[in-house]
Amino acid sequence: MNCKPIRTEEHKKDLMAVQDSMDALQGKWKISIISSICYYNKRRFSDILNDVIGISNKMLSKELKELEINKLIKRTVLDTQPITVQYELTEHGKSLQTIINNLKDWGIKHRKEIIGNNSETITHTEAENVLVENM
Amino acid sequence: MNCKPIRTEEHKKDLMAVQDSMDALQGKWKISIISSICYYNKRRFSDILNDVIGISNKMLSKELKELEINKLIKRTVLDTQPITVQYELTEHGKSLQTIINNLKDWGIKHRKEIIGNNSETITHTEAENVLVENM
DNA sequence: CAGTATCCAAAGGGATACTG
DNA sequence: CAGTATCCCTTTGGATACTG
């Protein structure tokens, strides 16, 4: 939480650093996309499109581009016919594992806290980022 | 990252937990608001409005409400004349410290990674979440 | 003081069609 | 296959004015 005096340069840098992390992970589908690529190690566009339920090709394209700009994933064009494109995590992308696990653990704690009294107040946007039901 | 087989119930729960954390922290100003309240321990509406540069009363009102719904902050109306309202972190809100520090650390790492080759590609939305310059 | 209400421009994002 | 382009509706959020 950085309970340092606000209005200092150091504090502002801390806030920006947190925001940088949030920006890198923000986006309706980013975690699911990363998760899909991570599990399969290498994954093609159309495969991710199938993994992440509800995502459109437009959004997949957009968020993959953002992940690539942030150097979290690597994009490789294979010269098959027709071409296929392979996505994989970079080393930097793999370093997300820790932070995502932290987010997961706090999320579980948070859910318990919220459900404690009132299960309706949780703001998780339902039905999002759900992976395919059917094989 | 949860590199378990996707398409399992457990994996879906993990994704949702991460998303719950993201939802709780998402919002253009949330981290700065939390940070302001955290530093001052107790903080009033108009004070936070001054701490967080650029935020409008509409957005502050909205994000405070979301934080309260998520039980991260506690709202207390003091019967002064005119009334004042005090915000403070709940215990649950204080438990954010760890996760925010993790986000900060990864954010610093991330920034170094990105700036390494090209300082222009970082997606941090500049000028946001910046606290007051002048005392 | 601590918000709410309204107006409005800009961004987000789904559906669909199209291209190399 | 791996995207782009377009249409168009929905959401977001700033500016401003107003209320108990």
Side-chain angles (χ1 to χ4, degrees):
Chain A
M1 201 100 38
N2 312 311
C3 286
K4 300 164 192 163
I6 66 177
R7 299 154 200 259
T8 66
E9 279 308 315
E10 192 193 354
H11 179 79
K12 283 194 262 179
K13 277 188 185 143
D14 284 353
L15 281 179
M16 285 177 60
V18 179
Q19 213 56 48
D20 286 342
S21 293
M22 292 296 290
D23 286 348
L25 295 178
Q26 239 161 36
K28 213 173 168 182
W29 317 96
K30 230 154 264 177
I31 304 286
S32 293
I33 293 170
I34 290 170
S35 184
S36 163
I37 298 174
C38 177
Y39 175 63
Y40 289 103
N41 219 5
K42 299 174 188 300
R43 200 73 173 146
R44 289 179 312 159
F45 188 89
S46 54
D47 293 328
I48 304 172
L49 202 56
N50 282 324
D51 290 340
V52 183
I53 286 205
I55 197 173
S56 63
N57 50 357
K58 178 179 165 184
M59 287 310 292
L60 179 55
S61 175
K62 184 194 162 213
E63 302 218 333
L64 281 171
K65 211 172 286 173
E66 289 168 7
L67 289 170
E68 199 192 351
I69 286 172
N70 278 302
K71 296 185 184 165
L72 300 177
I73 60 172
K74 182 170 172 291
R75 178 178 178 276
T76 315
V77 181
L78 307 176
D79 62 346
T80 50
Q81 194 47 249
I83 58 153
T84 50
V85 178
Q86 199 167 74
Y87 292 93
E88 57 198 305
L89 293 185
T90 60
E91 282 313 307
H92 181 46
K94 285 175 190 164
S95 79
L96 273 173
Q97 186 138 27
T98 315
I99 197 82
I100 292 188
N101 278 329
N102 289 333
L103 286 166
K104 185 199 72 183
D105 291 341
W106 191 85
I108 289 168
K109 186 174 139 59
H110 178 53
R111 176 166 285 262
K112 279 183 194 146
E113 190 78 23
I114 298 298
I115 293 184
N117 288 335
N118 180 352
S119 59
E120 293 313 307
T121 48
I122 192 147
T123 58
H124 182 264
T125 45
E126 294 99 9
E128 287 177 5
N129 303 294
V130 181
L131 298 181
V132 270
E133 227 76 51
N134 52 339
M135 276 297 293
Chain B
M1 199 104 40
N2 312 312
C3 286
K4 301 163 192 163
I6 66 178
R7 301 156 199 255
T8 66
E9 277 310 312
E10 192 193 352
H11 180 77
K12 281 194 262 180
K13 277 189 186 142
D14 285 352
L15 281 179
M16 284 177 60
V18 178
Q19 213 57 47
D20 286 340
S21 293
M22 293 295 290
D23 287 348
L25 296 177
Q26 241 161 36
K28 214 172 167 185
W29 318 96
K30 229 152 266 179
I31 304 287
S32 293
I33 294 171
I34 290 171
S35 184
S36 163
I37 298 173
C38 177
Y39 175 61
Y40 290 103
N41 219 5
K42 298 174 188 300
R43 200 74 174 143
R44 289 180 311 160
F45 188 89
S46 56
D47 293 329
I48 305 173
L49 203 55
N50 282 324
D51 290 339
V52 183
I53 286 206
I55 197 172
S56 62
N57 51 356
K58 177 179 166 184
M59 287 309 292
L60 179 54
S61 174
K62 185 193 163 214
E63 302 218 333
L64 280 172
K65 210 171 287 174
E66 290 167 4
L67 289 170
E68 199 192 352
I69 286 174
N70 278 301
K71 296 185 184 165
L72 300 177
I73 61 173
K74 183 168 170 294
R75 180 178 177 276
T76 314
V77 181
L78 307 176
D79 61 346
T80 50
Q81 192 47 250
I83 59 153
T84 49
V85 178
Q86 199 169 72
Y87 292 94
E88 57 197 309
L89 294 185
T90 60
E91 283 312 307
H92 181 47
K94 286 173 189 163
S95 80
L96 272 173
Q97 187 140 25
T98 316
I99 197 84
I100 292 189
N101 277 329
N102 290 333
L103 285 166
K104 186 199 72 184
D105 292 341
W106 191 85
I108 290 168
K109 187 175 139 59
H110 178 54
R111 178 165 282 263
K112 279 184 193 145
E113 189 78 25
I114 298 299
I115 293 182
N117 288 336
N118 181 351
S119 60
E120 294 311 308
T121 49
I122 193 146
T123 58
H124 181 264
T125 44
E126 293 99 10
E128 287 177 3
N129 303 295
V130 181
L131 297 184
V132 269
E133 228 77 50
N134 53 338
M135 274 298 291

